[in-house]
Amino acid sequence: MSAALGLYRLQQVDSQIDQIQVRLKAIQQTLENDVVLRAATEGLAAAESRHKESERTLKLSEAEVEKQRIKLQQTEASLYGGKVHNPKELQDLQKDVAYLKRHLEILEERQLEAMLAAEETEKDLQTAKTDLERVLSNLKEQNRDLTTEGDVLRKDLERLNSERQAVVTDIAGQTLTVYDQLRKQKRGLAITTIEDNSCEACGTTLTQSQQQTARSTTHLFHCPTCGRILYAN
């Protein structure tokens, strides 16, 4: 087997491997970076954050109301307990009770507003959860074909890697080094064929002498323009 033929077979295998790897990467990105899924996930996180904040505000409001009620009860106990007899002190206590009642009403209104806000954010949270569940369900159906395709491609990749190992064993080390270097330089295509007396990769017309040299079983011939190895089939 000529050196060029061995490399040409290797190129065919490597090109298939490259295509599979590109497709697998695209499938993986689609499965992991779905825009709709990301939006639904971010929406749920935002709803959870708002609900936690509204619950925190409600708890603070409830604590303030309870604290104010205790103050009012203590002040009323002093006012009606019969221990205070001084008219001035009784008058001051009455003013304190009136003030505490007014402020309690304000705090209770705030508590009610906080309660309504917490109920609203809880509804939003449930909606966000439902939206995410729906998106996940839809994606499961939509991505089922992609997952199946990925499984098939991985099996093909495993088979091709085995084929590559078998082909490489028949290629000399120095020749393989030249091939690998060209693969890096030429975007994966190190060797190409001669079609209609021209390099199939770049279209350069070849002389009969050049084509004859490309048919050599012992030497590699490079396209004078693009530098790729030429295989004359």
Side-chain angles (χ1 to χ4, degrees):
M1 180 175 67
S2 69
L5 176 57
L7 292 180
Y8 181 66
R9 290 178 176 174
L10 179 59
Q11 178 68 77
Q12 288 179 310
V13 174
D14 280 342
S15 293
Q16 292 181 69
I17 290 175
D18 290 344
Q19 291 174 0
I20 288 176
Q21 289 176 335
V22 168
R23 180 56 183 160
L24 283 173
K25 184 177 181 180
I27 290 174
Q28 190 68 19
Q29 289 177 338
T30 299
L31 293 175
E32 292 181 351
N33 301 317
D34 188 274
V35 175
V36 177
L37 175 59
R38 185 165 62 248
T41 302
E42 291 174 353
L44 176 59
E48 287 176 337
S49 178
R50 289 193 297 270
H51 185 55
K52 286 181 180 178
E53 180 61 24
S54 66
E55 284 188 322
R56 187 185 71 83
T57 301
L58 177 58
K59 288 180 180 179
L60 289 174
S61 181
E62 290 173 342
E64 288 180 352
V65 168
E66 182 61 24
K67 184 178 179 180
Q68 187 71 8
R69 284 175 180 166
I70 292 173
K71 284 184 179 180
L72 178 59
Q73 290 172 358
Q74 291 174 342
T75 305
E76 287 180 332
S78 299
L79 176 61
Y80 303 117
K83 294 182 179 180
V84 178
H85 301 286
N86 185 291
K88 180 65 170 63
E89 291 183 8
L90 288 172
Q91 187 177 20
D92 290 341
L93 284 173
Q94 288 175 341
K95 290 181 180 179
D96 289 344
V97 166
Y99 169 77
L100 290 171
K101 285 182 176 179
R102 288 194 301 271
H103 192 56
L104 177 60
E105 290 176 358
I106 294 173
L107 293 177
E108 286 176 337
E109 289 179 1
R110 292 177 183 173
Q111 180 184 2
L112 179 59
E113 292 174 356
M115 187 182 303
L116 293 174
E119 290 177 355
E120 190 65 27
T121 57
E122 184 175 8
K123 290 179 182 178
D124 292 342
L125 178 58
Q126 292 304 319
T127 299
K129 287 181 178 179
T130 301
D131 288 344
L132 180 57
E133 290 173 358
R134 176 178 52 78
V135 169
L136 288 172
S137 178
N138 291 340
L139 286 177
K140 184 177 181 181
E141 293 296 326
Q142 295 172 10
N143 294 337
R144 184 172 296 167
D145 291 342
L146 286 178
T147 302
T148 301
E149 181 186 355
D151 292 339
V152 172
L153 288 175
R154 277 183 281 273
K155 290 180 181 178
D156 289 342
L157 186 60
E158 184 177 349
R159 173 181 55 79
L160 287 169
N161 281 326
S162 297
E163 288 184 18
R164 189 181 195 281
Q165 289 299 319
V167 174
V168 166
T169 56
D170 295 329
I171 300 175
Q174 185 175 359
T175 301
L176 188 60
T177 299
V178 172
Y179 168 83
D180 288 336
Q181 290 175 345
L182 279 173
R183 280 257 297 164
K184 294 177 181 178
Q185 297 169 5
K186 304 299 179 179
R187 297 183 179 180
L189 186 63
I191 182 167
T192 186
T193 58
I194 297 174
E195 294 291 338
D196 297 329
N197 302 320
S198 302
C199 170
E200 187 179 15
C202 70
T204 297
T205 301
L206 303 169
T207 65
Q208 288 298 321
S209 175
Q210 289 173 328
Q211 294 179 53
Q212 188 61 38
T213 302
R215 293 187 178 91
S216 171
T217 59
T218 56
H219 298 90
L220 297 177
F221 178 72
H222 296 257
C223 172
T225 300
C226 69
R228 292 181 175 88
I229 301 168
L230 291 175
Y231 167 65
N233 50 16

